[in-house]
Amino acid sequence: MYSDKYEDKSLSQINKSVFSKQILKILNGMIKSLSISDLKILMKICEDFLYDEYDQFFSFFANFIINHQNKSMDIFNMLCQLLCHYTKSSPYLKKTILPLLRILSDNLMVSNRITISKTILNIMIPLIKDRHFQIYSGEFIKLINLISEDFSNVYKFLLVYILKYYPQTNTKKQVILIKMMIKSLSSINTKDFSSNNYKLMNSFIKILAN
C-alpha cells in the first residue's frame, strides 16, 4: 500500500531518491527484455518513488511503451486494470498512468477508436470521487479532451458525475471541478441539459452561488 504522506522531505525520502535513481539505471538497461507483467509489478513497487522522481519514472514507462509497440493493446489493458483500483493506488501513480494511456490511445485509435475511447471514459469518470483528484486533474482533462472527439456527450456525462460527487470540504478540488463544470457547460447544449436534469442544474447553480 502506498504512503499518504506527500509533504515531508525527510532523510529517508532523500535516501529513497538516491536508491530510485540506481534502480532506474538498472531498469533502463533491461527495458527491452522486461514483460508487461514486470511493468505492472514495477508500477506498484514504484508508487512511493513517484512523488520525488515522477519525471524520471514517467520517462522510463513511456520508453517501455516505445520499445514494446507491438504489445500496445496489452499494455493499455494492464494500465486500465490498475486505474480501476483507484482507491488502492497513489495519486502519483494515476498521474503517471493517465498520460501513458494518452500515448497509447494515439497509436491504438487508428483501428479501435470507439472501443478505446469508451474504455477510457468508463474507468476515468469514477476518479472524480478520489480525494487526491486535484493532483492529477490536469492529465485527466487532457485525456477527456482527447476522447471527446469520439463522444459528443462526454462533457454532459462528466458534468452529471461531478455534480453527483461534488466535495463539500476539499476546497482545492472544488475549484478544479468548478472550472471543469464551466468548460463542460460551454461544450454541451445547455437547454437540452437543463430540461432533462433540472435537479442537477439546480445543484450547479447553488455551487456557483457559494
Side-chain angles (χ1 to χ4, degrees), residues 143-155:
L143 200 46
I144 283 290
N145 290 339
L146 175 66
I147 63 176
S148 68
E149 299 174 9
D150 300 302
F151 294 100
S152 58
N153 63 343
V154 64
Y155 290 109

Side-chain angles (χ1 to χ4, degrees), residues 100-113:
L100 291 176
L101 286 177
R102 198 169 73 249
I103 293 172
L104 286 164
S105 297
D106 286 338
N107 298 329
L108 294 170
M109 279 184 170
V110 175
S111 57
N112 302 282
R113 191 173 188 91

Side-chain angles (χ1 to χ4, degrees), residues 47-176:
E47 283 186 279
D48 277 337
F49 295 106
L50 290 172
Y51 175 66
D52 295 303
E53 306 294 336
Y54 173 82
D55 290 338
Q56 291 84 348
F57 275 100
F58 178 80
S59 294
F60 167 74
F61 296 135
N63 285 334
F64 180 93
I65 291 173
I66 293 172
N67 280 276
H68 296 81
Q69 291 187 34
N70 61 325
K71 299 179 181 177
S72 292
M73 195 66 193
D74 292 330
I75 298 172
F76 175 84
N77 289 330
M78 183 275 289
L79 292 177
C80 287
Q81 289 175 5
L82 279 179
L83 206 56
C84 283
H85 301 292
Y86 70 94
T87 58
K88 298 180 181 179
S89 59
S90 84
Y92 292 96
L93 181 58
K94 296 163 199 152
K95 185 180 178 181
T96 303
I97 291 175
L98 290 173
L100 291 176
L101 286 177
R102 198 169 73 249
I103 293 172
L104 286 164
S105 297
D106 286 338
N107 298 329
L108 294 170
M109 279 184 170
V110 175
S111 57
N112 302 282
R113 191 173 188 91
I114 300 299
T115 301
I116 295 299
S117 294
K118 187 178 293 186
T119 301
I120 291 174
L121 183 61
N122 288 337
I123 63 172
M124 280 182 64
I125 295 298
L127 293 176
I128 292 171
K129 295 187 289 186
D130 185 9
R131 62 196 177 102
H132 294 300
F133 176 77
Q134 64 271 17
I135 292 175
Y136 52 88
S137 60
E139 297 299 339
F140 179 96
I141 292 169
K142 289 177 185 176
L143 200 46
I144 283 290
N145 290 339
L146 175 66
I147 63 176
S148 68
E149 299 174 9
D150 300 302
F151 294 100
S152 58
N153 63 343
V154 64
Y155 290 109
K156 178 179 176 180
F157 187 33
L158 180 64
L159 182 55
V160 170
Y161 211 88
I162 291 174
L163 290 170
K164 187 176 181 180
Y165 294 102
Y166 187 79
Q168 299 302 313
T169 57
N170 189 334
T171 53
K172 289 182 179 179
K173 186 175 176 180
Q174 286 175 343
V175 171
I176 291 169

